[in-house]
Amino acid sequence: MTVVIPTEERYSRTPDGSLWTRGPHDHGFWQRYLAVFERVRVVARVLDVSEPGTAAKRMDGDGVECSLVPYYVGPSQFLRRAWRVRGAVRRSVHANDAVIMRVSGTLANLLEPALIAAQHPYGLEVIGDPYDVFAAGAVEHPIRPFFRWWFPHVLRRQCLRAAGVAYVTERTLQKRYPCGAYSVGMSDVVLNEAALLGRSPVFTTHYSSIELEKDDRLHCERSNHERQKRMDIVTVGSLEQPYKGIDVLIAATAKSIAAGRNIRLTIVGEGRYRQSLENLAIQLGIGNSIRMTGQLASAQSVQAILDDSDLFVLASRTEGLPRAMIEAMARGLPCLGTNVGGIPELLEPSELVAPNDPDALSAKIDETLSRPEYMTQLSARNLEKAGGYRAELLDARRKQFFEHIRSVTERWISGLN
């Protein structure tokens, strides 16, 4: 059986027909579905390019194909291509296919009416909250308030109608978008052993020494070396939209530097807002204290920056369950974040601030950096928390969800015949 997966990911196609991505949803990501299904057909927008570009990875390959949707970015381009997009999405599903839609998203919204009309069962993977996506400051569009009402309304309906729903959170998205049938919480983030620092015998950060004892309990000791030099803050995320609140983090960093704190902020990511963020740092007088790496070529490159940092901060305006934060926790970094989406499932209230509040974020950064023993405690706690996202712990739960969707679909196909 083939599983069809509409997604809002965008891919590139080179002249030889190969499909590429610079994001995390490459061929390796889609292989997880092959534990239950014979083939995976991803439904996604695809842009023709002459070459894949730096750090690109293959998306297609053994068992994984793509049903191409006309490429568009934003509502205006979508409206010009709407009928072609709708037709491509609906042609991607055949009667004998299972369907698991990654939501919320436009392609899933276009496909759902056809599935309902045919009584074709479907599963959902809820990977984000459209209510937060369209919050003030998170996206710029004149009818943003309408989108903030409409997309959550559609997602609630889809969850109630679905044969099963998998949420990337343990409780947050479940409360706002309840499922009327089978549901499970399972993160999209899966850490291999190389990503988990806690599997190494000893790791020394700038401010602490963390050892894994024989019984696998974390033991932390403050280093004799007191930090007097620069403290390094890092954030990781796409710069394609204002979702990650990096402008707020830059403003908070400027306030901390003005108060006498010796800080460098490293921003890992690429996108169309990069130049405006660089300009903001210059306007605030901290251009020399900001390092923007762009998109890095490998997970190891990101890990190296995390390992050289003192504090990870995610100032997001919207989140599902943030991969970047879990990966930072897995490297033993203390983390601060905003109280949106699934971030409160990862951090304690004392490590959270409201979004869009640079004053509160700056105060939280200063408070955290001034307490080395507290940072050591956060480091140890985060390593332990990240261990819950190991592949062996999540694969069984994910496989059970896929098997449920396959079973429901097979029964439906049997009824047709």
Side-chain angles (χ1 to χ4, degrees):
M1 177 178 284
T2 295
V3 60
V4 179
I5 308 173
T7 177
E8 294 304 297
E9 294 299 313
R10 301 197 294 262
Y11 294 102
S12 299
R13 180 175 61 174
T14 48
D16 64 356
S18 302
L19 297 171
W20 300 85
T21 179
R22 291 196 296 173
H25 299 103
D26 59 1
H27 184 259
F29 176 85
W30 299 112
Q31 282 185 309
R32 62 179 59 176
Y33 298 87
L34 297 176
V36 172
F37 300 99
E38 284 70 44
R39 291 197 64 79
V40 177
R41 184 181 307 128
V42 180
V43 185
R45 289 168 282 177
V46 176
L47 178 68
D48 286 320
V49 297
S50 59
E51 55 185 28
T54 306
K57 298 167 286 186
R58 280 290 294 271
M59 171 267 182
D60 56 330
D62 291 344
V64 180
E65 61 188 43
C66 186
S67 184
L68 278 60
V69 172
Y71 194 85
Y72 67 88
V73 177
S76 60
Q77 288 188 14
F78 168 73
L79 289 174
R80 291 196 294 270
R81 300 169 173 81
W83 285 106
R84 292 171 52 211
V85 171
R86 178 178 178 272
V89 169
R90 295 192 175 188
R91 287 192 299 271
S92 68
V93 178
H94 307 143
N96 291 332
D97 294 334
V99 177
I100 299 177
M101 301 190 291
R102 291 175 63 80
V103 291
S104 173
T106 299
L107 302 189
N109 293 352
L110 292 172
L111 180 57
E112 184 210 8
L115 297 175
I116 297 301
Q119 297 184 323
H120 194 136
Y122 63 84
L124 298 176
E125 291 182 281
V126 181
I127 60 175
D129 189 346
Y131 185 79
D132 290 338
V133 167
F134 292 106
V139 70
E140 299 172 0
H141 196 275
I143 59 172
R144 177 196 60 79
F146 170 76
F147 289 154
R148 199 181 195 201
W149 169 81
W150 174 249
F151 282 94
H153 168 75
V154 172
L155 182 53
R156 280 190 289 270
R157 182 188 69 209
Q158 289 171 345
C159 288
L160 289 173
R161 290 176 170 177
V165 182
Y167 302 86
V168 294
T169 59
E170 290 297 328
R171 57 185 181 273
T172 303
L173 291 168
Q174 288 88 327
K175 291 180 180 178
R176 186 166 284 173
Y177 308 102
C179 173
Y182 175 94
S183 68
V184 62
M186 60 179 200
S187 171
D188 246 6
V189 184
V190 177
L191 300 176
N192 58 31
E193 292 300 307
L196 278 160
L197 198 63
R199 311 316 294 173
S200 303
V202 177
F203 171 67
T204 302
T205 70
H206 291 303
Y207 51 84
S208 65
S209 175
I210 301 169
E211 298 181 6
L212 198 66
E213 296 181 332
K214 290 181 180 179
D215 61 0
D216 276 359
R217 289 179 302 174
L218 288 168
H219 172 67
C220 304
E221 296 178 354
R222 184 178 177 183
S223 171
N224 292 327
H225 174 58
E226 296 289 347
R227 285 301 306 268
Q228 299 296 332
K229 60 178 183 177
R230 180 190 71 214
M231 302 291 276
D232 282 285
I233 298 174
V234 62
T235 192
V236 180
S238 170
L239 311 186
E240 193 64 26
Q241 295 285 352
Y243 298 156
K244 298 298 179 181
I246 294 174
D247 56 321
V248 178
L249 178 55
I250 290 173
T253 301
K255 289 178 180 294
S256 294
I257 291 174
R261 180 74 60 182
N262 186 4
I263 290 175
R264 179 177 69 172
L265 170 61
T266 297
I267 301 168
V268 180
E270 190 57 83
R272 61 189 174 122
Y273 279 86
R274 175 172 177 168
Q275 187 60 59
S276 66
L277 293 170
E278 291 176 343
N279 293 341
L280 175 62
I282 293 170
Q283 291 167 12
L284 295 174
I286 60 167
N288 293 332
S289 299
I290 303 292
R291 177 175 59 155
M292 304 193 79
T293 69
Q295 186 81 22
L296 296 180
S298 66
Q300 291 74 23
S301 300
V302 177
Q303 288 170 6
I305 289 179
L306 295 174
D307 292 349
D308 285 337
S309 300
D310 298 284
L311 180 66
F312 180 89
V313 180
L314 202 58
S316 298
R317 296 179 169 100
T318 178
E319 280 293 347
L321 195 72
R323 171 184 297 271
M325 179 171 284
I326 293 173
E327 291 175 347
M329 295 170 76
R331 306 309 295 177
L333 267 178
C335 296
L336 300 177
T338 47
N339 56 356
V340 300
I343 295 178
E345 295 186 8
L346 299 174
L347 303 182
E348 296 298 322
S350 60
E351 298 145 37
L352 300 169
V353 298
N356 299 310
D357 192 341
D359 292 330
L361 183 57
S362 175
K364 185 65 68 175
I365 289 171
D366 291 346
E367 176 192 0
T368 304
L369 292 179
S370 65
R371 299 170 61 193
E373 293 180 349
Y374 175 57
M375 293 176 73
T376 297
Q377 294 168 8
L378 296 183
S379 180
R381 196 280 312 276
N382 288 353
L383 273 172
E384 193 166 29
K385 182 80 173 180
Y389 294 90
R390 295 197 305 273
E392 61 265 29
L393 298 179
L394 294 176
D395 285 350
R397 196 182 306 176
R398 182 174 291 109
K399 185 172 183 286
Q400 186 176 22
F401 172 72
F402 294 161
E403 287 173 340
H404 171 76
I405 300 303
R406 175 164 185 155
S407 175
V408 170
T409 306
E410 287 175 338
R411 291 197 300 270
W412 175 75
I413 292 172
S414 177
L416 291 180
N417 299 328

